[in-house]
Short mmCIF file of all heavy atoms in Angstrom, two decimals:
data_model
loop_
_atom_site.label_atom_id
_atom_site.label_comp_id
_atom_site.label_asym_id
_atom_site.label_seq_id
_atom_site.Cartn_x
_atom_site.Cartn_y
_atom_site.Cartn_z
N MET O 3 9.98 -5.27 -4.09
CA MET O 3 10.59 -4.25 -3.23
C MET O 3 9.72 -4.06 -1.99
O MET O 3 8.51 -3.92 -2.10
CB MET O 3 10.69 -2.95 -4.02
CG MET O 3 11.08 -1.75 -3.21
SD MET O 3 10.91 -0.23 -4.18
CE MET O 3 9.15 0.06 -4.08
N TYR O 4 10.37 -4.06 -0.83
CA TYR O 4 9.60 -3.81 0.39
C TYR O 4 9.27 -2.33 0.53
O TYR O 4 10.16 -1.48 0.40
CB TYR O 4 10.39 -4.28 1.62
CG TYR O 4 10.25 -5.76 1.85
CD1 TYR O 4 11.25 -6.64 1.47
CD2 TYR O 4 9.11 -6.27 2.44
CE1 TYR O 4 11.12 -8.00 1.65
CE2 TYR O 4 8.96 -7.64 2.63
CZ TYR O 4 9.97 -8.49 2.24
OH TYR O 4 9.82 -9.84 2.42
N VAL O 5 8.02 -2.05 0.79
CA VAL O 5 7.58 -0.68 1.05
C VAL O 5 7.52 -0.47 2.56
O VAL O 5 7.98 0.53 3.08
CB VAL O 5 6.19 -0.44 0.42
CG1 VAL O 5 5.66 0.94 0.77
CG2 VAL O 5 6.27 -0.61 -1.09
N CYS O 6 6.92 -1.43 3.24
CA CYS O 6 6.76 -1.34 4.69
C CYS O 6 7.58 -2.45 5.36
O CYS O 6 7.23 -3.62 5.28
CB CYS O 6 5.28 -1.49 5.04
SG CYS O 6 4.94 -1.47 6.80
N LEU O 7 8.67 -2.05 5.99
CA LEU O 7 9.54 -3.04 6.63
C LEU O 7 8.92 -3.55 7.93
O LEU O 7 9.10 -4.70 8.29
CB LEU O 7 10.92 -2.42 6.91
CG LEU O 7 11.75 -2.13 5.66
CD1 LEU O 7 13.06 -1.47 6.06
CD2 LEU O 7 12.02 -3.39 4.87
N CYS O 8 8.19 -2.70 8.61
CA CYS O 8 7.58 -3.11 9.89
C CYS O 8 6.62 -4.28 9.69
O CYS O 8 6.57 -5.20 10.49
CB CYS O 8 6.83 -1.96 10.52
SG CYS O 8 7.89 -0.61 11.05
N LYS O 9 5.86 -4.22 8.61
CA LYS O 9 4.84 -5.25 8.36
C LYS O 9 5.20 -6.18 7.22
O LYS O 9 4.45 -7.10 6.90
CB LYS O 9 3.49 -4.57 8.05
CG LYS O 9 2.92 -3.77 9.21
CD LYS O 9 2.54 -4.69 10.36
CE LYS O 9 1.95 -3.90 11.52
NZ LYS O 9 1.56 -4.79 12.64
N GLY O 10 6.36 -5.94 6.58
CA GLY O 10 6.79 -6.80 5.49
C GLY O 10 5.89 -6.74 4.27
O GLY O 10 5.59 -7.76 3.65
N ILE O 11 5.47 -5.53 3.92
CA ILE O 11 4.57 -5.35 2.78
C ILE O 11 5.35 -4.87 1.56
O ILE O 11 6.07 -3.88 1.64
CB ILE O 11 3.46 -4.32 3.10
CG1 ILE O 11 2.75 -4.64 4.42
CG2 ILE O 11 2.46 -4.23 1.94
CD1 ILE O 11 2.05 -5.96 4.45
N THR O 12 5.17 -5.57 0.45
CA THR O 12 5.85 -5.19 -0.80
C THR O 12 4.94 -4.35 -1.70
O THR O 12 3.72 -4.33 -1.50
CB THR O 12 6.26 -6.45 -1.58
OG1 THR O 12 5.07 -7.18 -1.91
CG2 THR O 12 7.19 -7.34 -0.76
N ASP O 13 5.55 -3.71 -2.68
CA ASP O 13 4.75 -2.96 -3.66
C ASP O 13 3.82 -3.90 -4.41
O ASP O 13 2.69 -3.58 -4.73
CB ASP O 13 5.65 -2.17 -4.63
CG ASP O 13 6.61 -3.06 -5.40
OD1 ASP O 13 6.98 -4.14 -4.90
OD2 ASP O 13 6.99 -2.67 -6.51
N LYS O 14 4.30 -5.13 -4.64
CA LYS O 14 3.48 -6.12 -5.34
C LYS O 14 2.22 -6.44 -4.52
O LYS O 14 1.12 -6.57 -5.07
CB LYS O 14 4.31 -7.38 -5.56
CG LYS O 14 3.68 -8.38 -6.50
CD LYS O 14 4.66 -9.51 -6.78
CE LYS O 14 3.97 -10.61 -7.56
NZ LYS O 14 4.83 -11.78 -7.72
N ALA O 15 2.39 -6.56 -3.22
CA ALA O 15 1.24 -6.85 -2.34
C ALA O 15 0.23 -5.71 -2.39
O ALA O 15 -0.98 -5.95 -2.44
CB ALA O 15 1.72 -7.08 -0.92
N ILE O 16 0.73 -4.47 -2.40
CA ILE O 16 -0.18 -3.32 -2.48
C ILE O 16 -0.94 -3.35 -3.80
O ILE O 16 -2.16 -3.15 -3.83
CB ILE O 16 0.60 -2.00 -2.32
CG1 ILE O 16 1.18 -1.90 -0.91
CG2 ILE O 16 -0.29 -0.79 -2.63
CD1 ILE O 16 2.11 -0.73 -0.69
N LYS O 17 -0.23 -3.65 -4.89
CA LYS O 17 -0.88 -3.70 -6.21
C LYS O 17 -1.94 -4.80 -6.25
O LYS O 17 -3.00 -4.63 -6.85
CB LYS O 17 0.18 -3.92 -7.30
CG LYS O 17 1.07 -2.69 -7.49
CD LYS O 17 2.23 -2.97 -8.42
CE LYS O 17 3.16 -1.76 -8.47
NZ LYS O 17 4.38 -2.01 -9.25
N GLN O 18 -1.66 -5.92 -5.60
CA GLN O 18 -2.64 -7.01 -5.57
C GLN O 18 -3.89 -6.59 -4.80
O GLN O 18 -5.01 -6.94 -5.18
CB GLN O 18 -2.02 -8.26 -4.94
CG GLN O 18 -1.03 -8.95 -5.86
CD GLN O 18 -0.24 -10.06 -5.19
OE1 GLN O 18 -0.20 -10.16 -3.97
NE2 GLN O 18 0.40 -10.89 -6.00
N HIS O 19 -3.70 -5.84 -3.72
CA HIS O 19 -4.86 -5.37 -2.95
C HIS O 19 -5.69 -4.36 -3.75
O HIS O 19 -6.91 -4.37 -3.69
CB HIS O 19 -4.42 -4.77 -1.61
CG HIS O 19 -4.17 -5.81 -0.57
ND1 HIS O 19 -2.96 -6.42 -0.39
CD2 HIS O 19 -5.01 -6.37 0.33
CE1 HIS O 19 -3.06 -7.31 0.58
NE2 HIS O 19 -4.29 -7.29 1.04
N VAL O 20 -5.02 -3.52 -4.52
CA VAL O 20 -5.75 -2.56 -5.37
C VAL O 20 -6.55 -3.33 -6.43
O VAL O 20 -7.71 -3.03 -6.68
CB VAL O 20 -4.79 -1.54 -6.02
CG1 VAL O 20 -5.54 -0.67 -7.03
CG2 VAL O 20 -4.13 -0.68 -4.95
N ALA O 21 -5.92 -4.35 -7.01
CA ALA O 21 -6.61 -5.16 -8.02
C ALA O 21 -7.83 -5.86 -7.41
O ALA O 21 -8.82 -6.12 -8.10
CB ALA O 21 -5.64 -6.19 -8.60
N ALA O 22 -7.76 -6.12 -6.10
CA ALA O 22 -8.87 -6.79 -5.41
C ALA O 22 -9.92 -5.81 -4.91
O ALA O 22 -10.90 -6.22 -4.29
CB ALA O 22 -8.32 -7.62 -4.26
N GLY O 23 -9.70 -4.51 -5.15
CA GLY O 23 -10.75 -3.54 -4.83
C GLY O 23 -10.41 -2.48 -3.80
O GLY O 23 -11.24 -1.61 -3.52
N VAL O 24 -9.21 -2.53 -3.21
CA VAL O 24 -8.83 -1.50 -2.25
C VAL O 24 -8.64 -0.16 -2.96
O VAL O 24 -7.99 -0.11 -4.01
CB VAL O 24 -7.53 -1.91 -1.51
CG1 VAL O 24 -6.93 -0.75 -0.75
CG2 VAL O 24 -7.82 -3.07 -0.56
N GLU O 25 -9.22 0.90 -2.42
CA GLU O 25 -9.14 2.21 -3.08
C GLU O 25 -8.61 3.33 -2.19
O GLU O 25 -8.34 4.42 -2.69
CB GLU O 25 -10.54 2.62 -3.59
CG GLU O 25 -11.03 1.73 -4.72
CD GLU O 25 -12.35 2.19 -5.27
OE1 GLU O 25 -13.11 2.87 -4.54
OE2 GLU O 25 -12.63 1.88 -6.45
N THR O 26 -8.48 3.09 -0.90
CA THR O 26 -8.02 4.15 -0.01
C THR O 26 -6.92 3.63 0.92
O THR O 26 -6.79 2.42 1.13
CB THR O 26 -9.17 4.67 0.87
OG1 THR O 26 -9.58 3.61 1.75
CG2 THR O 26 -10.35 5.14 0.04
N MET O 27 -6.15 4.57 1.48
CA MET O 27 -5.12 4.20 2.44
C MET O 27 -5.75 3.55 3.67
O MET O 27 -5.18 2.64 4.25
CB MET O 27 -4.31 5.43 2.86
CG MET O 27 -3.12 5.72 1.98
SD MET O 27 -1.97 4.32 1.82
CE MET O 27 -1.18 4.34 3.41
N ARG O 28 -6.92 4.01 4.05
CA ARG O 28 -7.59 3.44 5.21
C ARG O 28 -7.88 1.94 4.98
O ARG O 28 -7.65 1.11 5.85
CB ARG O 28 -8.90 4.19 5.48
CG ARG O 28 -9.64 3.70 6.71
CD ARG O 28 -10.91 4.50 6.92
NE ARG O 28 -10.61 5.89 7.20
CZ ARG O 28 -11.17 6.58 8.19
NH1 ARG O 28 -12.04 6.01 8.97
NH2 ARG O 28 -10.85 7.83 8.38
N GLU O 29 -8.37 1.64 3.78
CA GLU O 29 -8.66 0.24 3.45
C GLU O 29 -7.37 -0.58 3.37
O GLU O 29 -7.31 -1.71 3.84
CB GLU O 29 -9.40 0.16 2.10
CG GLU O 29 -10.81 0.69 2.15
CD GLU O 29 -11.45 0.81 0.77
OE1 GLU O 29 -10.75 0.66 -0.26
OE2 GLU O 29 -12.66 1.07 0.73
N LEU O 30 -6.35 0.03 2.75
CA LEU O 30 -5.07 -0.68 2.62
C LEU O 30 -4.48 -0.97 3.99
O LEU O 30 -3.96 -2.06 4.25
CB LEU O 30 -4.11 0.17 1.78
CG LEU O 30 -2.79 -0.50 1.41
CD1 LEU O 30 -3.03 -1.71 0.51
CD2 LEU O 30 -1.86 0.49 0.74
N LYS O 31 -4.58 0.00 4.87
CA LYS O 31 -4.06 -0.16 6.23
C LYS O 31 -4.83 -1.26 6.97
O LYS O 31 -4.25 -2.07 7.68
CB LYS O 31 -4.18 1.17 6.97
CG LYS O 31 -3.43 1.24 8.28
CD LYS O 31 -3.49 2.67 8.79
CE LYS O 31 -2.85 2.80 10.16
NZ LYS O 31 -2.87 4.19 10.65
N ALA O 32 -6.14 -1.28 6.78
CA ALA O 32 -6.97 -2.28 7.45
C ALA O 32 -6.63 -3.68 6.94
O ALA O 32 -6.61 -4.64 7.71
CB ALA O 32 -8.44 -1.98 7.21
N CYS O 33 -6.34 -3.80 5.64
CA CYS O 33 -6.05 -5.11 5.05
C CYS O 33 -4.65 -5.59 5.37
O CYS O 33 -4.43 -6.79 5.56
CB CYS O 33 -6.17 -5.04 3.53
SG CYS O 33 -7.83 -4.88 2.92
N THR O 34 -3.69 -4.69 5.38
CA THR O 34 -2.29 -5.11 5.44
C THR O 34 -1.56 -4.66 6.70
O THR O 34 -0.53 -5.22 7.04
CB THR O 34 -1.52 -4.54 4.24
OG1 THR O 34 -1.51 -3.10 4.35
CG2 THR O 34 -2.15 -4.94 2.92
N GLY O 35 -2.04 -3.61 7.33
CA GLY O 35 -1.33 -3.05 8.47
C GLY O 35 -0.26 -2.06 8.05
O GLY O 35 0.47 -1.53 8.88
N VAL O 36 -0.17 -1.81 6.73
CA VAL O 36 0.86 -0.88 6.24
C VAL O 36 0.71 0.49 6.90
O VAL O 36 -0.40 1.01 7.05
CB VAL O 36 0.78 -0.77 4.69
CG1 VAL O 36 -0.43 -0.01 4.23
CG2 VAL O 36 2.03 -0.14 4.11
N GLY O 37 1.82 1.03 7.37
CA GLY O 37 1.80 2.35 8.00
C GLY O 37 1.31 2.38 9.43
O GLY O 37 1.18 3.44 10.02
N SER O 38 1.04 1.22 10.01
CA SER O 38 0.44 1.20 11.34
C SER O 38 1.45 1.14 12.48
O SER O 38 1.07 1.19 13.64
CB SER O 38 -0.53 0.02 11.46
OG SER O 38 0.17 -1.19 11.31
N GLN O 39 2.75 1.05 12.14
CA GLN O 39 3.75 1.04 13.21
C GLN O 39 4.56 2.34 13.23
O GLN O 39 4.15 3.29 13.86
CB GLN O 39 4.63 -0.19 13.11
CG GLN O 39 4.16 -1.25 14.11
CD GLN O 39 5.06 -2.44 14.15
OE1 GLN O 39 5.25 -3.12 13.15
NE2 GLN O 39 5.61 -2.71 15.31
N CYS O 40 5.67 2.39 12.48
CA CYS O 40 6.48 3.61 12.54
C CYS O 40 5.92 4.71 11.64
O CYS O 40 6.19 5.88 11.85
CB CYS O 40 7.92 3.31 12.15
SG CYS O 40 8.18 3.04 10.39
N GLY O 41 5.17 4.32 10.60
CA GLY O 41 4.53 5.29 9.72
C GLY O 41 5.41 5.82 8.60
O GLY O 41 4.95 6.60 7.78
N GLN O 42 6.67 5.39 8.54
CA GLN O 42 7.58 5.94 7.53
C GLN O 42 7.22 5.52 6.11
O GLN O 42 7.66 6.13 5.15
CB GLN O 42 9.02 5.51 7.84
CG GLN O 42 9.58 6.24 9.04
CD GLN O 42 11.08 6.05 9.15
OE1 GLN O 42 11.71 5.50 8.27
NE2 GLN O 42 11.65 6.53 10.24
N CYS O 43 6.46 4.46 5.97
CA CYS O 43 6.12 3.96 4.64
C CYS O 43 4.84 4.59 4.09
O CYS O 43 4.49 4.36 2.94
CB CYS O 43 5.92 2.46 4.71
SG CYS O 43 4.62 2.02 5.89
N THR O 44 4.16 5.37 4.90
CA THR O 44 2.82 5.85 4.52
C THR O 44 2.83 6.62 3.21
O THR O 44 1.98 6.39 2.34
CB THR O 44 2.25 6.74 5.64
OG1 THR O 44 2.30 6.01 6.86
CG2 THR O 44 0.81 7.13 5.35
N CYS O 45 3.80 7.51 3.04
CA CYS O 45 3.85 8.35 1.84
C CYS O 45 4.09 7.49 0.60
O CYS O 45 3.38 7.62 -0.41
CB CYS O 45 4.94 9.41 1.99
SG CYS O 45 4.98 10.58 0.63
N GLN O 46 5.06 6.59 0.68
CA GLN O 46 5.37 5.74 -0.48
C GLN O 46 4.22 4.79 -0.78
O GLN O 46 3.87 4.58 -1.96
CB GLN O 46 6.65 4.95 -0.24
CG GLN O 46 7.13 4.24 -1.50
CD GLN O 46 8.41 3.47 -1.29
OE1 GLN O 46 8.93 3.38 -0.18
NE2 GLN O 46 8.92 2.90 -2.36
N ALA O 47 3.62 4.22 0.25
CA ALA O 47 2.48 3.33 0.04
C ALA O 47 1.33 4.09 -0.62
O ALA O 47 0.67 3.57 -1.53
CB ALA O 47 2.03 2.73 1.37
N GLY O 48 1.12 5.32 -0.20
CA GLY O 48 0.07 6.15 -0.78
C GLY O 48 0.33 6.44 -2.25
O GLY O 48 -0.60 6.45 -3.06
N GLN O 49 1.59 6.66 -2.59
CA GLN O 49 1.94 6.93 -3.98
C GLN O 49 1.70 5.71 -4.86
O GLN O 49 1.18 5.81 -5.97
CB GLN O 49 3.41 7.36 -4.09
CG GLN O 49 3.63 8.79 -3.64
CD GLN O 49 5.09 9.20 -3.71
OE1 GLN O 49 5.96 8.36 -3.86
NE2 GLN O 49 5.34 10.49 -3.57
N ILE O 50 2.06 4.54 -4.35
CA ILE O 50 1.84 3.30 -5.11
C ILE O 50 0.35 3.07 -5.29
O ILE O 50 -0.12 2.74 -6.38
CB ILE O 50 2.52 2.11 -4.40
CG1 ILE O 50 4.03 2.27 -4.44
CG2 ILE O 50 2.09 0.78 -5.05
CD1 ILE O 50 4.79 1.32 -3.55
N LEU O 51 -0.40 3.28 -4.22
CA LEU O 51 -1.86 3.14 -4.28
C LEU O 51 -2.44 4.07 -5.34
O LEU O 51 -3.23 3.66 -6.20
CB LEU O 51 -2.46 3.44 -2.90
CG LEU O 51 -3.97 3.45 -2.78
CD1 LEU O 51 -4.53 2.06 -2.96
CD2 LEU O 51 -4.38 4.00 -1.42
N HIS O 52 -2.03 5.33 -5.28
CA HIS O 52 -2.54 6.32 -6.23
C HIS O 52 -2.17 5.94 -7.66
O HIS O 52 -3.03 5.98 -8.56
CB HIS O 52 -1.96 7.70 -5.88
CG HIS O 52 -2.36 8.78 -6.85
ND1 HIS O 52 -3.61 9.35 -6.85
CD2 HIS O 52 -1.69 9.36 -7.86
CE1 HIS O 52 -3.68 10.23 -7.82
NE2 HIS O 52 -2.53 10.27 -8.44
N ASN O 53 -0.93 5.55 -7.88
CA ASN O 53 -0.48 5.17 -9.23
C ASN O 53 -1.29 4.00 -9.77
O ASN O 53 -1.67 3.99 -10.95
CB ASN O 53 1.00 4.81 -9.23
CG ASN O 53 1.89 6.02 -9.09
OD1 ASN O 53 1.43 7.15 -9.25
ND2 ASN O 53 3.14 5.80 -8.75
N GLU O 54 -1.56 3.03 -8.92
CA GLU O 54 -2.33 1.86 -9.37
C GLU O 54 -3.76 2.25 -9.72
O GLU O 54 -4.32 1.75 -10.68
CB GLU O 54 -2.33 0.78 -8.28
CG GLU O 54 -1.01 0.06 -8.17
CD GLU O 54 -0.59 -0.59 -9.48
OE1 GLU O 54 -1.33 -1.46 -9.99
OE2 GLU O 54 0.47 -0.21 -10.02
N LEU O 55 -4.35 3.13 -8.92
CA LEU O 55 -5.72 3.55 -9.19
C LEU O 55 -5.81 4.32 -10.50
O LEU O 55 -6.77 4.17 -11.26
CB LEU O 55 -6.25 4.41 -8.03
CG LEU O 55 -6.49 3.65 -6.72
CD1 LEU O 55 -6.81 4.61 -5.61
CD2 LEU O 55 -7.60 2.62 -6.89
N VAL O 56 -4.78 5.13 -10.80
CA VAL O 56 -4.75 5.90 -12.04
C VAL O 56 -4.64 4.96 -13.25
O VAL O 56 -5.24 5.19 -14.29
CB VAL O 56 -3.58 6.91 -12.02
CG1 VAL O 56 -3.34 7.51 -13.40
CG2 VAL O 56 -3.86 8.01 -11.02
N LEU O 57 -3.89 3.88 -13.06
CA LEU O 57 -3.66 2.94 -14.17
C LEU O 57 -4.86 2.04 -14.44
O LEU O 57 -4.94 1.44 -15.51
CB LEU O 57 -2.44 2.05 -13.84
CG LEU O 57 -1.09 2.76 -13.88
CD1 LEU O 57 0.01 1.82 -13.41
CD2 LEU O 57 -0.78 3.27 -15.28
N GLN O 58 -5.78 1.96 -13.49
CA GLN O 58 -6.91 1.04 -13.67
C GLN O 58 -7.88 1.54 -14.72
O GLN O 58 -8.08 2.70 -14.89
CB GLN O 58 -7.67 0.85 -12.35
CG GLN O 58 -7.02 -0.19 -11.49
CD GLN O 58 -7.84 -0.52 -10.25
OE1 GLN O 58 -8.72 0.24 -9.86
NE2 GLN O 58 -7.56 -1.64 -9.64
FE1 LIG H 128 5.56 0.69 7.52
FE2 LIG H 128 7.04 1.11 9.66
S1 LIG H 128 7.70 0.80 7.62
S2 LIG H 128 4.88 1.10 9.53
#
């Protein structure tokens, strides 16, 4: 499922970045560009990030 249409980032891609050590939205944004254009995906991307960190 696409989370960020502007940058073409999927939930799977976010989960892979968390597995690789990303822990904050700032890091995720730096790695993927998620949320760096229109910003509409920021909330959902943050939720996925948070959920993955809780599951680790
Ligand atoms: Fe992610 Fe626009 S949908 S920045």
Side-chain angles (χ1 to χ4, degrees):
M3 171 189 79
Y4 278 101
V5 176
C6 178
L7 291 178
C8 294
K9 296 293 181 180
I11 309 299
T12 61
D13 59 333
K14 191 174 172 186
I16 293 173
K17 290 172 186 175
Q18 286 171 344
H19 278 89
V20 173
V24 166
E25 292 184 335
T26 66
M27 271 305 286
R28 183 179 296 227
E29 290 171 350
L30 187 63
K31 192 172 175 179
C33 289
T34 64
V36 72
S38 63
Q39 260 186 300
C40 74
Q42 288 193 7
C43 58
T44 307
C45 185
Q46 190 179 4
Q49 284 179 346
I50 293 168
L51 176 68
H52 177 76
N53 286 346
E54 286 302 300
L55 290 172
V56 168
L57 289 174
Q58 277 187 342

